[in-house]
Amino acid sequence: MVDIAARVWNHRWKIDPIVRSLIDTDFYKLLMCQSVFRNRPDTRVTFSLINRTDRVPLARLIDEGELREQLDHIRSLSLTRGESTWMRGNTFYGKRQMFTPRFMDWFEGLRLPPYHLERHGDQYELTFEGAWPEVMLWEIPALAVLMELRGRAVLDGLERFELQVLYARAMTKLWEKVERLQKLTDLRIADFGTRRRHSFLWQDWCVRAMHEGLGEAFTGTSNCLIAKERDLEAIGTNAHELPMVYAALADSEDALARAPYDVLADWHEEHDGNLRVILPDTYGTKGFLDRAPDWLAGWTGIRIDSGDPAAGAETAIRWWQARGEDPRGKLVIFSDGLDVDRIEALHAQFAGRVRVSFGWGTLLTNDFRGLVADDALAPFSLVCKAVAANGRPTVKLSDNPEKAMGPKEEVARYKRVFGVGAQERIAVEV
Amino acid sequence: MVDIAARVWNHRWKIDPIVRSLIDTDFYKLLMCQSVFRNRPDTRVTFSLINRTDRVPLARLIDEGELREQLDHIRSLSLTRGESTWMRGNTFYGKRQMFTPRFMDWFEGLRLPPYHLERHGDQYELTFEGAWPEVMLWEIPALAVLMELRGRAVLDGLERFELQVLYARAMTKLWEKVERLQKLTDLRIADFGTRRRHSFLWQDWCVRAMHEGLGEAFTGTSNCLIAKERDLEAIGTNAHELPMVYAALADSEDALARAPYDVLADWHEEHDGNLRVILPDTYGTKGFLDRAPDWLAGWTGIRIDSGDPAAGAETAIRWWQARGEDPRGKLVIFSDGLDVDRIEALHAQFAGRVRVSFGWGTLLTNDFRGLVADDALAPFSLVCKAVAANGRPTVKLSDNPEKAMGPKEEVARYKRVFGVGAQERIAVEV
């Protein structure tokens, strides 16, 4: 059991690498990386880190030299033998050899490509350009580094016991959540909190607390390193970057309209069972489902990642029913802006009607709200997204215009192609 | 920084000594021991451990074998070279060589005398008989062992993360008290919580939290081992056992009436300054002060250890004024049943009128109230007192009949001799 406060204290004056492993990343990144490596290896992409929360002046809080040191350290990482053995030998989602020998040979030789860092006012502009399978692996560690360096900047002002009490309070807060979750029958919940975690050690503590407190109801973690170290299931399927890049590469409006289904067709070939989970909201859930080919209705589940989650799940249920599928056998994964109140409400509304599962992110691994002065440790909305593919801008519409991305005229074009009309605007907190 | 929860976990299956040093005791025990060693070395006394809280069935909670193991371990202890060096070389209350070479030579050779343990129903009867300077040193370690073994018995039922969260909650609770105390100007407060502490490690944590949180306002700890290890002041003066034993030894009623002053006459010869603190309540504060010789009014202060503390302090102030002393130069030490509410109230009432100081005990080092089911870790009223001297029973009246001790007819005789009438009954919690 690590004394986190002691560690923060002891390491304050040294270089303390935030990301120490290439598999300190989300499992779905590795799954998607293999898919991209197989299907679109030569695509050139640009990923860009964006702080949606202006009031957090990252460039004033974080020293540029320290940030470069952390990013350079990540570039020095390569897969260790133990990590490779785990990826090659482990069973993921009930399947052996999830990662092919060809992919593993490539991954074992990988170092992350260069980054480009500039300061603009109080914010950093951090971008990554290169081959898609390489660049995409920057997303999670880059986010984790920025989040943790911001946390360290705040923690530097605290005395030793203030630090210990801070973590005591955070532990108490999380444990009270766990105690509430213990009351939900047949709960299934996983940790999805790597990218915006308070710190690696804190995420690790949260995962172990969930495991001890919830037992079987805790289905695992998206973080591969923690899954490996703690002998837990690695959890995750796929993300928006696949349809976003496929869409950007489309040469016609027909091809654009088809792109999100092409992604899932590729995925269909590679995966089955619980990995066949639709992420429908990239260009509007409703239209996506209405136009979906019938084979997609046969997939195991759907992940609701934007918009009103209850409305999204009801939409999915109606869609399955319309396609002659029994929703009770289907999986609905909620993964957007979850905290215990919302988990309880969604569980009450959908348990028994579908198989419900929760991917709990930032408010699991970074709920330091209200714990220091000026709420200086509250999580904020930092994202790292594919912004261009082969020189063309990417677009995301989502079910919430607050989460939309891309150049204005391109957003308008996508809205037209995908038939997205007025959308409800929902504040994005984390 | 020790991770207390981890320690509790790791040591659950081993013999983990609770008291590891002869100076893991209150400073005033050593001062009194030296005084007794000098003035009454041949007195034979019996000390007896009494659980005033029937609802805590110590003999059902604590395994007798384990208890004997802990007590036997204490009997194996002797002063280490470092401890002896600290006692001989340190400055206590501004004075070098507080402990004489003659006393130190004796103390270096000391092993604690045998104990006598019997189970009676759900309680243990634990007594110590022998020479006063030896037997008296059992009090604090015996209490600490019983308190901590009871805590361990409860903790044994908790899982690893439950343990960590338990301590997280206790830390948060204490820190919130510290934050309230930070607001009191010119506060002076010390740790008096050794005897009924939750555990050694927890007391150590509390002391360090007080030190960091309060700075100079935290004047030190009664625990010699912690004072030594943490480079803090060792704090304490004298206790009821001196007048109780002196009184029991009195051969006439005149001698009995004189006994409490004889104690202080001996103390007067040995100590000056801030060590000249009257403990007036053994046989009733009011009568004690009324009959006190004038030289006592010249002493530095008074310690209020029973009864309504505000009333006790007002009595002392009136007494000083009646004897022509300026109370503003006098020290009032509150040490009975303190928690933050009471500290705040007493500070508000007396700051500026006298020099106020607090000796904070059980609710500093053992406030685990409300933290586990059935409040099974709440502190309770365990005491270890001199019950006989040279074959005669001792008596304590105190300013609260709930704290009175001794055979009925002897209590009546003492009340008559010391002119104690009706007293206000106040529930004793800790």
Side-chain angles (χ1 to χ4, degrees), chain A residues 57-275:
Chain A
L58 287 179
R60 267 198 284 148
L61 290 167
I62 298 170
D63 177 70
E64 188 174 327
E66 239 180 297
L67 174 53
R68 287 186 185 277
E69 214 164 52
Q70 291 291 343
L71 297 171
D72 291 343
H73 179 77
I74 292 171
R75 290 202 62 208
S76 78
L77 296 172
S78 65
L79 205 64
T80 68
R81 182 192 283 213
E83 291 161 357
S84 176
T85 302
W86 180 77
M87 286 180 69
R88 287 176 183 267
N90 196 19
T91 303
F92 299 101
Y93 281 79
K95 180 175 165 183
R96 290 218 175 273
Q97 286 220 310
M98 176 68 81
F99 298 101
T100 64
R102 197 172 80 84
F103 174 73
M104 288 307 302
D105 289 346
W106 170 82
F107 195 36
E108 279 168 3
L110 178 73
R111 293 281 200 290
L112 291 199
Y115 60 88
H116 183 78
L117 177 66
E118 268 180 54
R119 183 176 174 154
H120 289 281
D122 286 343
Q123 299 296 336
Y124 285 117
E125 190 174 287
L126 179 57
T127 54
F128 310 92
E129 289 184 46
W132 190 8
E134 299 181 359
V135 166
M136 66 190 296
L137 295 175
W138 262 115
E139 176 182 350
I140 308 299
L143 290 168
V145 159
L146 264 300
M147 289 304 286
E148 188 161 344
L149 281 182
R150 180 269 204 152
R152 289 185 186 181
V154 175
L155 297 176
D156 262 354
L158 300 187
E159 293 300 318
R160 195 169 162 126
F161 275 75
E162 286 180 312
L163 272 174
Q164 202 172 9
V165 170
L166 170 72
Y167 284 107
R169 284 177 169 156
M171 285 176 183
T172 301
K173 199 170 177 183
L174 177 62
W175 194 253
E176 279 161 10
K177 296 185 187 191
V178 169
E179 287 176 332
R180 283 173 63 187
L181 294 176
Q182 284 170 342
K183 302 198 173 75
L184 305 183
T185 44
D186 298 328
L187 176 70
R188 292 181 71 73
I189 189 164
D191 158 41
F192 275 21
T194 300
R195 67 189 61 208
R196 281 190 286 272
R197 67 192 181 198
H198 169 76
S199 71
F200 173 76
L201 287 177
W202 180 248
Q203 181 183 19
D204 186 50
W205 191 89
C206 293
V207 165
R208 287 147 70 210
M210 291 281 283
H211 187 54
E212 181 179 296
L214 298 177
E216 293 292 303
F218 181 61
T219 55
T221 170
S222 64
N223 187 293
C224 297
L225 183 60
I226 296 175
K228 171 178 173 288
E229 297 298 323
R230 303 294 173 195
D231 212 1
L232 296 165
E233 291 293 322
I235 302 283
T237 55
N238 55 64
H240 299 104
E241 70 175 281
L242 295 178
M244 285 167 74
V245 173
Y246 274 52
L249 299 176
D251 285 323
S252 67
E253 298 208 339
D254 272 5
L256 174 57
R258 221 172 37 239
Y261 307 107
D262 291 345
V263 168
L264 299 183
D266 284 346
W267 198 262
H268 193 89
E269 265 182 49
E270 295 165 53
H271 300 294
D272 47 27
N274 283 345
L275 282 174

Side-chain angles (χ1 to χ4, degrees), chain B residues 129-183:
Chain B
E129 289 185 47
W132 191 8
E134 298 182 0
V135 166
M136 67 190 295
L137 294 176
W138 262 116
E139 177 182 351
I140 309 298
L143 290 169
V145 159
L146 264 299
M147 288 305 285
E148 187 162 344
L149 280 182
R150 180 267 206 153
R152 289 186 187 181
V154 175
L155 297 176
D156 261 354
L158 299 187
E159 293 300 318
R160 194 169 165 125
F161 275 75
E162 286 179 313
L163 272 175
Q164 202 171 10
V165 171
L166 170 72
Y167 285 107
R169 284 176 169 156
M171 286 176 183
T172 301
K173 199 169 176 183
L174 176 61
W175 194 253
E176 279 161 10
K177 296 185 187 191
V178 169
E179 288 176 331
R180 283 173 64 187
L181 294 177
Q182 284 170 342
K183 300 198 175 74

Side-chain angles (χ1 to χ4, degrees), chain B residues 79-92:
Chain B
L79 206 64
T80 68
R81 179 191 285 213
E83 290 160 358
S84 176
T85 302
W86 180 78
M87 286 180 70
R88 288 175 182 268
N90 197 19
T91 303
F92 299 101

